[in-house]
């Protein structure tokens, strides 16, 4: 958002600089108006026609009137060139949709192009150019004309970069796509403009009609060429994004990859990803061009805001300016936004989400953006479902099917990974426990009752440990607890609490084999072994073996329902 102080300073500069520059050029530079009013009007109309085919590159219009402005400058002088060029600029700004909200762009561009014309004319004169005596065979005159044309092109781009850096407070690169396109188009247009000047000098106003068609055709070809290159670029990057989304990822990773790539591919200010959750849309990702990815927790109902309307109507929506959606009032829509594209994310003939992108610029999104976003949302829908399936498969491979705890393989991987990164000063403890005489429980109450007890015990243990560590089923009736950053003393206290939690609270079971339907309370105990790093070993990978030894030799063989520490087994 442009500050009011900058806009006021701009208006003051425009009121002072712009009329003074026109007055100075009218009074002190070469003017050839007498008898050429009709020709000047024809040149003006010619420039307006060519200016009707602008390219919008990095939010700045690039148009191809430079060639005509050379002919006007050389034929009628700086004052006429400034007037016609700036009239064409006003037409371009109006054509690309600059309205009341961005009114300051009109004086800004008038100042900028006045300065560009003045600098170009100054270079022309410094190189020895003379309007009244141009000799096409003179090397000095050719150099002066070439210097003028090159200056107009380069200084125009420099002023654009300065405006974006100083006025809009945006980071810019000098040799960006807009600069390169301006140079390339000038290499084509400027020679044609010089030919226009030569023909006009030789045959008069008929030259305008002779050169009009080639100029318009060149402008259209350049516009189509740019569009073709942009489409190819978009399709290439879209294919790369689709390839990335096919990789094995979790759902949150898919969200992050998609919105990151989307923010870099399409010229947007904000992007939203909503996913369908029962009777509402849940915002899972929000992207702001200034703040990048921001986690947000918002919900939309059907017909609410843009995404809600798309979900309700099952159709995409496209708006080119805020007037088209002024009836959609919602506090979640940024106040200064103009252009909007919102598309459903579909899978198996159903809508699973909505992607919405918004820009502050009017007419920011063309047909190519709509098409590219349609392709991307199709990739996205498939990637989300693949990610969900991957998460299920991964969870099944990492979790114990009965207790839903992590399994032995996952636990070992965690210990190995943690062991490779832990420093020598870090504490790390491990608790290994085995339910005592559990075979008797299965024999007395049945395996279904035993399974109930295992599940209840897993829930108790998980609730007790909470965020302090990782609980896993080691196998059968054995369980293990990984406790990063927990020293031996605390681990021993926790193990005693776990032992009491098991021994003092019976486990109620319903699916027993006894000849009654009442709930049966089953009492069990556990033998527990504790080992700690660096107290008992040089590597965390040795903790399982030491805790296992403490459990069997220190707890089970000494009567069960006990907690044993590995160091207690060591000779004094």
């Amino acid at each position: 958002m442009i500050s009011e102080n900058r806009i006021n300073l701009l208006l003051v500069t425009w009121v002072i600089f712009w009329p003074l520059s026109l007055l100075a050029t009218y009074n002190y530079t070469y003017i050839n108006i007498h008898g050429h009013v009709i020709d000047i009007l024809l040149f003006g109309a010619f420039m307006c026609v060519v200016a009707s085919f602008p390219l919008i590159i990095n939010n700045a219009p690039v148009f191809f009137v430079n060639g005509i402005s050379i002919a006007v400058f050389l034929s009628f002088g700086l004052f006429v060139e400034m007037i016609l060029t700036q009239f064409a600029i006003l037409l371009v700004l109006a054509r690309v949709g600059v309205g009341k909200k961005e009114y300051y762009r009109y004086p800004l561009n008038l100042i900028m192009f006045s300065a560009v014309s003045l600098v170009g004319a100054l270079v022309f004169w410094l190189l020895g150019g003379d309007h009244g005596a141009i000799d096409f065979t003179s090397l000095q005159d050719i150099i002066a004309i070439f210097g003028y044309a090159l200056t107009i092109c380069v200084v125009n781009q420099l002023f654009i970069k300065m405006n974006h850096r100083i006025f809009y407070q945006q980071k810019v690169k000098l040799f960006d796509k807009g600069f390169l396109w301006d140079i390339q188009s000038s290499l084509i247009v400027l020679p044609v403009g010089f030919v226009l000047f030569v023909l006009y000098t030789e045959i008069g106003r008929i030259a305008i009609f002779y050169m009009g068609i080639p100029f318009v055709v060149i402008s259209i070809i350049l516009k189509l060429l740019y569009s073709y290159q942009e489409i190819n670029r978009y399709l290439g990057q879209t294919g790369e994004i689709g390839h990335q989304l096919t990789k094995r990822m979790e759902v949150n990773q898919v969200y992050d990859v998609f919105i990151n790539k989307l923010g870099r591919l399409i010229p947007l200010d904000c992007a939203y990803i909503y996913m369908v959750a029962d009777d509402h849309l849940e915002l899972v990702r929000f992207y702001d061009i200034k703040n990048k990815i921001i986690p947000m927790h918002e919900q939309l109902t059907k017909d609410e805001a843009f995404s809600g309307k798309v979900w309700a109507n099952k159709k995409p929506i496209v708006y080119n300016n805020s007037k088209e959606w002024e009836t959609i009032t919602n506090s979640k829509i940024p106040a200064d936004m103009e252009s909007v594209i919102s598309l459903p994310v579909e899978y198996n003939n159903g809508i699973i989400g909505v992607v919405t992108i918004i820009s502050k610029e009017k007419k920011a999104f063309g047909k190519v953006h709509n098409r590219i976003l349609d392709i991307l949302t199709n990739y996205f829908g498939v990637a989300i479902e693949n990610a969900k399936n991957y998460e299920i498969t991964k969870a099944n491979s990492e979790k114990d099917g009965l207790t839903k705890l992590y399994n032995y393989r996952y636990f070992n991987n965690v210990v190995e990974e943690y062991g490779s990164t832990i420093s020598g000063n870090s504490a790390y403890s491990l608790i290994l426990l085995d339910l005592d005489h559990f075979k008797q429980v299965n024999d007395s109450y049945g395996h279904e009752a035993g399974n109930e007890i295992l599940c209840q015990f897993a829930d108790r243990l998980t609730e007790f440990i909470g965020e302090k560590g990782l609980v896993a089923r080691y196998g059968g009736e054995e369980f293990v607890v990984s406790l990063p950053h927990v020293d031996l003393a605390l681990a021993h206290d926790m193990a005693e609490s776990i032992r009491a939690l098991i021994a003092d609270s019976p486990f109620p079971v319903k699916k027993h084999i006894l000849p009654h339907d009442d709930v049966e309370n089953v009492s069990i105990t556990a033998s527990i072994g504790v080992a700690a790093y660096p107290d008992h070993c040089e590597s965390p990978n040795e903790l399982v073996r030491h805790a296992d030894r403490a459990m069997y030799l220190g707890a089970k063989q000494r009567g069960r329902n006990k907690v044993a520490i590995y160091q207690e087994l060591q000779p004094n």
Side-chain angles (χ1 to χ4, degrees):
M1 195 72 180
I2 309 302
S3 68
E4 188 174 348
N5 290 336
R6 284 197 182 94
I7 294 176
N8 291 335
L9 179 61
L10 169 67
L11 295 177
V12 170
T13 304
W14 173 64
V15 169
I16 297 173
F17 172 77
W18 187 64
L20 286 178
S21 64
L22 291 179
L23 184 63
T25 55
Y26 182 80
N27 288 323
Y28 300 108
T29 63
Y30 172 82
I31 296 180
N32 183 21
I33 297 178
H34 184 69
H36 300 291
V37 175
I38 295 178
D39 293 354
I40 292 172
L41 292 176
L42 287 174
F43 270 108
F46 187 13
M47 292 177 76
C48 288
V49 171
V50 173
S52 299
F53 304 97
L55 304 179
I56 307 301
I57 303 177
N58 297 334
N59 293 326
V62 175
F63 46 99
F64 311 110
V65 299
N66 289 354
I68 307 172
S69 66
I70 288 179
V72 172
F73 171 74
L74 296 175
S75 301
F76 308 112
L78 176 60
F79 176 78
V80 176
E81 184 271 327
M82 288 177 65
I83 294 294
L84 295 188
T85 299
Q86 293 183 37
F87 187 79
I89 291 164
L90 295 177
L91 176 66
V92 170
L93 293 176
R95 183 172 177 80
V96 298
V98 177
K100 294 180 181 179
K101 290 184 179 180
E102 298 178 302
Y103 71 93
Y104 55 84
R105 291 181 62 180
Y106 289 96
L108 177 63
N109 278 272
L110 291 177
I111 292 172
M112 184 181 72
F113 281 95
S114 295
V116 170
S117 296
L118 288 170
V119 174
L122 180 62
V123 170
F124 175 77
W125 296 325
L126 290 175
L127 292 175
D130 184 359
H131 291 277
I134 295 178
D135 183 359
F136 304 136
T137 62
S138 169
L139 179 62
Q140 181 178 355
D141 286 351
I142 296 297
I143 291 175
I145 294 172
F146 177 79
Y148 167 80
L150 181 63
T151 301
I152 289 290
C153 178
V154 173
V155 173
N156 175 45
Q157 282 297 317
L158 289 177
F159 273 111
I160 289 175
K161 302 300 182 292
M162 287 174 58
N163 284 339
H164 282 280
R165 181 69 184 90
I166 299 173
F167 191 71
Y168 293 102
Q169 299 289 296
Q170 297 176 350
K171 293 182 180 180
V172 295
K173 293 193 304 182
L174 177 58
F175 298 102
D176 62 2
K177 185 168 55 176
F179 184 92
L180 295 177
W181 254 93
D182 208 3
I183 294 294
Q184 292 171 2
S185 62
S186 296
L187 292 176
I188 299 173
V189 172
L190 294 179
V192 180
F194 181 73
V195 172
L196 172 62
F197 166 67
V198 173
L199 285 178
Y200 178 74
T201 303
E202 297 294 331
I203 63 177
R205 73 179 58 151
I206 193 66
I208 302 173
F209 297 97
Y210 282 158
M211 297 302 297
I213 294 177
F215 244 109
V216 172
V217 169
I218 289 174
S219 298
I220 295 174
I221 290 174
L222 288 174
K223 187 175 178 69
L224 292 175
L225 178 61
Y226 177 76
S227 298
Y228 175 75
Q229 290 184 353
E230 284 294 279
I231 291 172
N232 278 347
R233 181 178 69 86
Y234 277 125
L235 289 175
Q237 294 187 18
T238 300
E240 292 177 7
I241 295 172
H243 179 69
Q244 286 186 312
L245 291 176
T246 60
K247 295 180 179 178
R248 188 176 295 177
M249 293 186 291
E250 297 180 358
V251 172
N252 282 328
Q253 292 175 311
V254 172
Y255 293 153
D256 290 337
V257 168
F258 181 79
I259 202 162
N260 249 322
K261 297 298 182 181
L262 186 65
R264 295 175 184 176
L265 178 63
I266 296 179
L268 54 82
D269 286 290
C270 297
Y272 304 78
I273 299 178
Y274 285 94
M275 300 306 294
V276 175
D278 298 326
D279 60 344
H280 65 272
L281 290 175
E282 186 79 24
L283 180 63
V284 295
R285 288 295 183 276
F286 170 73
Y287 180 94
D288 182 276
I289 193 172
K290 294 181 179 178
N291 300 318
K292 302 303 178 183
I293 295 179
I294 304 174
M296 298 179 67
H297 301 284
E298 290 186 359
Q299 297 179 354
L300 291 178
T301 58
K302 284 191 175 181
D303 282 317
E304 186 180 4
F306 304 118
S307 301
K309 286 181 65 68
V310 170
W311 183 32
N313 299 327
K314 301 180 180 179
K315 294 180 180 179
I317 57 175
V318 180
Y319 297 121
N320 291 315
N321 58 71
S322 57
K323 290 183 179 179
E324 297 180 6
W325 52 269
E326 59 186 359
T327 57
I328 304 176
T329 56
N330 190 281
S331 60
K332 297 168 185 175
I333 301 173
D336 55 348
M337 295 300 166
E338 291 286 347
S339 303
V340 179
I341 296 182
S342 185
L343 285 86
V345 180
E346 298 181 89
Y347 187 81
N348 279 348
N349 299 319
I351 295 178
I352 62 173
V354 178
V355 173
T356 299
I357 62 173
I358 303 178
S359 172
K360 296 178 181 178
E361 301 291 330
K362 292 183 178 179
K363 300 179 181 179
F365 309 124
K367 292 181 179 179
V368 62
H369 299 119
N370 195 1
R371 180 57 182 157
I372 291 302
L373 195 59
D374 183 45
I375 295 172
L376 287 177
T377 52
N378 287 331
Y379 284 146
F380 182 58
V382 174
I384 288 295
E385 293 304 312
N386 288 342
K388 290 179 180 178
N389 293 331
Y390 170 67
E391 287 186 350
I392 293 172
T393 303
K394 183 180 179 183
N396 290 337
S397 67
E398 295 176 346
K399 296 289 184 71
D400 172 56
L402 176 64
T403 63
K404 307 307 178 186
L405 295 177
Y406 287 108
N407 58 25
Y408 166 81
R409 181 174 62 180
Y410 178 82
F411 176 82
N412 273 354
N413 290 337
V414 169
V415 172
E416 288 181 7
E417 183 177 348
Y418 186 74
S420 65
T421 59
I422 193 172
S423 64
N425 297 324
S426 299
Y428 182 37
S429 298
L430 191 140
I431 298 174
L432 186 65
L433 56 91
D434 181 76
L435 300 182
D436 297 327
H437 302 299
F438 199 71
K439 183 178 183 301
Q440 295 180 11
V441 173
N442 286 329
D443 292 341
S444 301
Y445 301 99
H447 285 86
E448 282 191 283
N451 288 342
E452 279 190 73
I453 292 173
L454 291 175
C455 292
Q456 291 181 45
F457 173 72
D459 292 340
R460 288 190 193 182
L461 190 57
T462 301
E463 183 178 358
F464 176 80
I465 296 299
E467 299 296 326
K468 300 183 190 73
L470 174 72
V471 180
R473 187 182 182 189
Y474 204 63
E477 58 270 18
E478 288 188 333
F479 296 81
V480 64
V481 181
S482 170
L483 297 169
H485 312 297
V486 174
D487 60 20
L488 177 61
L490 179 56
H492 179 263
D493 291 342
M494 293 175 68
E496 279 290 352
S497 298
I498 293 170
R499 185 199 62 75
L501 182 69
I502 300 169
D504 299 344
S505 302
F507 292 81
V509 294
K510 298 178 180 179
K511 298 180 180 179
H512 51 75
I513 59 175
L514 299 180
H516 60 78
D517 295 330
D518 298 334
V519 173
E520 190 74 17
N521 291 316
V522 180
S523 295
I524 61 173
T525 61
S527 298
I528 304 175
V530 180
Y533 168 88
D535 303 73
H536 303 149
C537 56
E538 296 181 356
S539 170
N541 295 330
E542 302 176 56
L543 287 176
V544 173
R545 185 173 72 254
H546 292 341
D548 194 28
R549 181 177 173 83
M551 180 185 71
Y552 276 99
L553 299 181
K556 281 193 177 294
Q557 291 188 11
R558 294 181 181 179
R560 293 182 169 83
N561 192 24
K562 296 182 183 300
V563 173
I565 299 175
Y566 176 72
Q567 68 187 31
E568 296 173 350
L569 306 179
Q570 305 305 306
N572 294 328

